[in-house]
Amino acid sequence: MYQNRHNPSRGYNGNSRHQGGRRFNNRGSKRPLDPRMFVKKAAPLIETQYEPKNAFTDFALNGLLQNNIAARGYTKPTAIQDQVIKPILEGNDLVGIADTGTGKTAAFLLPLITKISKDRNQKVLIVTPTRELASQIQDELRAFTKNMGIYSTVCIGGASIHVQSRQLSRRPHFVIGTPGRIMDLEKRRILNLTEFTNVVLDEVDRMLDMGFIGDMKYIISLLPENRQSLFFSATMPDSTRAIMNSFLKNPVTVSVKTGAASQNVDQSIIETRGKDKVEVLHDLLIQKEFKKVLVFGRTKWGVSKLERDLLDRGFKAASIHGNKTQAQRQRSLNKLQNNEVQVLLATDVVSRGIDINDISHVINYNPPETYEDYIHRIGRTGRAGNMGIALTFID
Ligand code: AMP
């Protein structure tokens, strides 16, 4: 058994403290963020409950799709689903300001699946920042389109372009991909962007953070004039707004940006005060509440080193970062999901799209560089109505 080497009776609360909730965005500045500026105590869970005005059966969704929604166990719409399904079904362009974990994937998939079920010549392009998110959207799409004869292909980097090319030649109704690979396929004349009469840009703020601005402008410039365009982002800095204006026509705007994701997360600072941070982490991980833990590091190198340190100490750990292949990342995610490992280590690049509902703790081993990164990191816990705990180390 592991021993707590500092103080066996001390839980994480012993050296943590809650801070006031000022918002802070340090984008563009070289000065590292002090997480004390934005770590805030979680509001009671009760405040985040939302009573939808509609049942799924109130929406004019395809009948088979209604069965698949029920089979998936969704009993009532989330806030974003409640508010966007109708305007999308009516053919409007739409801006959805929503955190991950709000159910925004189904919010755009359900009306678009209904649209395809009525007109099989329609095609949908969904552009996402990460490979993981693209795969998760496809998983959700497959569950919703069971027995409907609606097909999809995922076009992401790190996977065979030849396989994707073959799949595209079967003319799937949905193409879900990351900007770089979509652009690559277009330039090779494998993907004809002018065919997509429905386009979703998902997590646009993140795509811009990741440097996809050029790719996104290129993709938008080749889309047909006559299309339905849906735009989702958790935040709306000026760069995001500029892309939005070039993409949408008379959009309906729906915002569920209530901070709900972070309200379900109990946030604390841990001051390491010159101690070896690996030791501090060790002392946390041996506590029984730390069942399914996501640890964020700043660099790929740092994450790999920490993974080796934890494995050497006998912890079960896996990692995901930009140097890993898509298959390796998926294997690591599955291990955390299936409780084969206790700890998953990750960098920010792959933080979005980690959709595991019962992560007990997020630990910021290195502080995030922006407020948005912080929100996205801690949004990996406290999902689907659970309470989560986020701990941020500061030196
Ligand atoms: P998303 O924000 O789309 O990543 O969804 C977050 C999580 O909530 C996913 O695990 C979804 O499967 C789940 N979810 C989405 N909509 C509903 C719903 N209406 N009822 C229950 N769970 C949902």
Side-chain angles (χ1 to χ4, degrees), residues 123-193:
K123 294 188 78 174
V124 180
L125 178 70
I126 302 173
V127 190
T128 77
T130 64
R131 302 162 183 188
E132 285 77 12
L133 187 60
S135 300
Q136 280 162 16
I137 292 172
Q138 188 185 42
D139 288 347
E140 195 142 353
L141 180 70
R142 282 188 174 147
F144 286 135
T145 52
K146 230 177 223 158
N147 306 321
M148 293 181 72
I150 290 178
Y151 302 102
S152 62
T153 295
V154 162
C155 296
I156 53 182
S160 162
I161 199 162
H162 302 295
V163 172
Q164 289 168 8
S165 168
R166 240 189 343 267
Q167 289 172 344
L168 287 171
S169 68
R170 292 191 212 123
R171 307 187 56 74
H173 305 97
F174 283 79
V175 174
I176 308 163
T178 44
R181 180 55 61 96
I182 290 172
M183 200 171 85
D184 198 359
L185 286 161
E186 195 286 329
K187 287 192 167 156
R188 294 177 193 218
R189 300 277 178 265
I190 296 168
L191 189 63
N192 180 0
L193 292 176

Side-chain angles (χ1 to χ4, degrees), residues 56 72-78 81 99-107 133 136 140 355 357 383-384:
F56 281 118
R72 192 148 168 68
Y74 291 8
T75 51
K76 55 182 188 176
T78 64
Q81 291 160 5
D99 292 309
T100 44
T102 52
K104 67 181 164 53
T105 311
L133 187 60
Q136 280 162 16
E140 195 142 353
D355 183 22
N357 275 341
R383 290 165 82 89

Side-chain angles (χ1 to χ4, degrees), residues 277-294:
K277 277 166 55 174
V278 183
E279 293 289 335
V280 178
L281 182 61
H282 180 131
D283 288 350
L284 293 172
L285 293 177
I286 58 177
Q287 296 176 36
K288 68 173 186 323
E289 315 83 80
F290 286 69
K291 289 196 173 72
K292 201 173 264 199
V293 184
L294 185 58

Side-chain angles (χ1 to χ4, degrees), residues 119-371:
D119 177 359
R120 304 273 164 166
N121 293 321
Q122 297 264 347
K123 294 188 78 174
V124 180
L125 178 70
I126 302 173
V127 190
T128 77
T130 64
R131 302 162 183 188
E132 285 77 12
L133 187 60
S135 300
Q136 280 162 16
I137 292 172
Q138 188 185 42
D139 288 347
E140 195 142 353
L141 180 70
R142 282 188 174 147
F144 286 135
T145 52
K146 230 177 223 158
N147 306 321
M148 293 181 72
I150 290 178
Y151 302 102
S152 62
T153 295
V154 162
C155 296
I156 53 182
S160 162
I161 199 162
H162 302 295
V163 172
Q164 289 168 8
S165 168
R166 240 189 343 267
Q167 289 172 344
L168 287 171
S169 68
R170 292 191 212 123
R171 307 187 56 74
H173 305 97
F174 283 79
V175 174
I176 308 163
T178 44
R181 180 55 61 96
I182 290 172
M183 200 171 85
D184 198 359
L185 286 161
E186 195 286 329
K187 287 192 167 156
R188 294 177 193 218
R189 300 277 178 265
I190 296 168
L191 189 63
N192 180 0
L193 292 176
T194 64
E195 293 178 346
F196 290 91
T197 41
N198 304 277
V199 184
V200 182
L201 301 185
D202 196 14
E203 302 205 344
V204 177
D205 51 352
R206 184 62 164 183
M207 286 201 266
L208 296 178
D209 275 355
M210 291 171 71
F212 285 134
I213 177 93
D215 300 8
M216 287 174 72
K217 281 188 176 160
Y218 181 85
I219 292 168
I220 292 172
S221 75
L222 294 176
L223 294 172
E225 251 316 275
N226 242 339
R227 62 172 195 261
Q228 186 175 10
S229 308
L230 312 178
F231 182 100
F232 289 86
S233 190
T235 56
M236 194 61 77
D238 288 348
S239 54
T240 307
R241 196 172 297 279
I243 283 280
M244 184 183 89
N245 291 335
S246 72
F247 178 62
L248 300 168
K249 280 192 201 133
N250 303 323
V252 171
T253 300
V254 171
S255 175
V256 297
K257 186 96 189 86
T258 57
S262 54
Q263 281 177 16
N264 283 1
V265 181
D266 193 9
Q267 305 166 50
S268 299
I269 293 277
I270 295 201
E271 294 189 16
T272 52
R273 296 179 198 275
K275 282 188 219 127
D276 182 349
K277 277 166 55 174
V278 183
E279 293 289 335
V280 178
L281 182 61
H282 180 131
D283 288 350
L284 293 172
L285 293 177
I286 58 177
Q287 296 176 36
K288 68 173 186 323
E289 315 83 80
F290 286 69
K291 289 196 173 72
K292 201 173 264 199
V293 184
L294 185 58
V295 177
F296 282 104
R298 198 170 52 81
T299 63
K300 300 170 203 171
W301 181 86
V303 159
S304 297
K305 161 118 188 22
L306 187 56
E307 182 185 13
R308 283 195 303 276
D309 285 347
L310 291 181
L311 290 171
D312 285 348
R313 286 163 182 259
F315 291 103
K316 290 187 174 154
S319 67
I320 54 174
H321 52 68
N323 274 1
K324 299 228 165 183
T325 64
Q326 181 57 24
Q328 286 170 327
R329 293 188 201 176
Q330 198 57 53
R331 265 201 302 280
S332 296
L333 283 169
N334 292 346
K335 282 184 185 166
L336 188 71
Q337 175 111 50
N338 304 331
N339 297 316
E340 289 164 43
V341 297
Q342 176 197 7
V343 189
L344 182 68
L345 299 117
T347 54
D348 286 302
V349 172
V350 290
S351 85
R352 286 197 193 199
I354 299 176
D355 183 22
I356 299 176
N357 275 341
D358 54 348
I359 288 176
S360 60
H361 294 76
V362 166
I363 298 179
N364 293 315
Y365 189 80
N366 299 120
E369 287 182 11
T370 65
Y371 174 72

Side-chain angles (χ1 to χ4, degrees), residues 2-71:
Y2 296 107
Q3 293 297 314
N4 183 319
R5 294 167 193 187
H6 298 123
N7 175 353
S9 66
R10 193 197 65 212
Y12 70 87
N13 280 327
N15 59 352
S16 70
R17 61 194 160 90
H18 296 298
Q19 300 288 333
R22 202 177 116 197
R23 293 204 154 195
F24 189 75
N25 181 352
N26 195 36
R27 195 182 303 284
S29 158
K30 290 279 173 277
R31 196 159 38 84
L33 272 191
D34 181 347
R36 277 174 293 207
M37 305 293 278
F38 49 74
V39 170
K40 63 179 182 194
K41 187 158 173 25
L45 188 57
I46 194 81
E47 282 183 25
T48 70
Q49 300 293 353
Y50 174 84
E51 266 318 308
K53 293 182 187 59
N54 303 285
F56 281 118
T57 47
D58 293 338
F59 297 124
L61 297 170
N62 174 281
L64 282 169
L65 175 59
Q66 291 279 12
N67 298 343
N68 292 335
I69 295 168

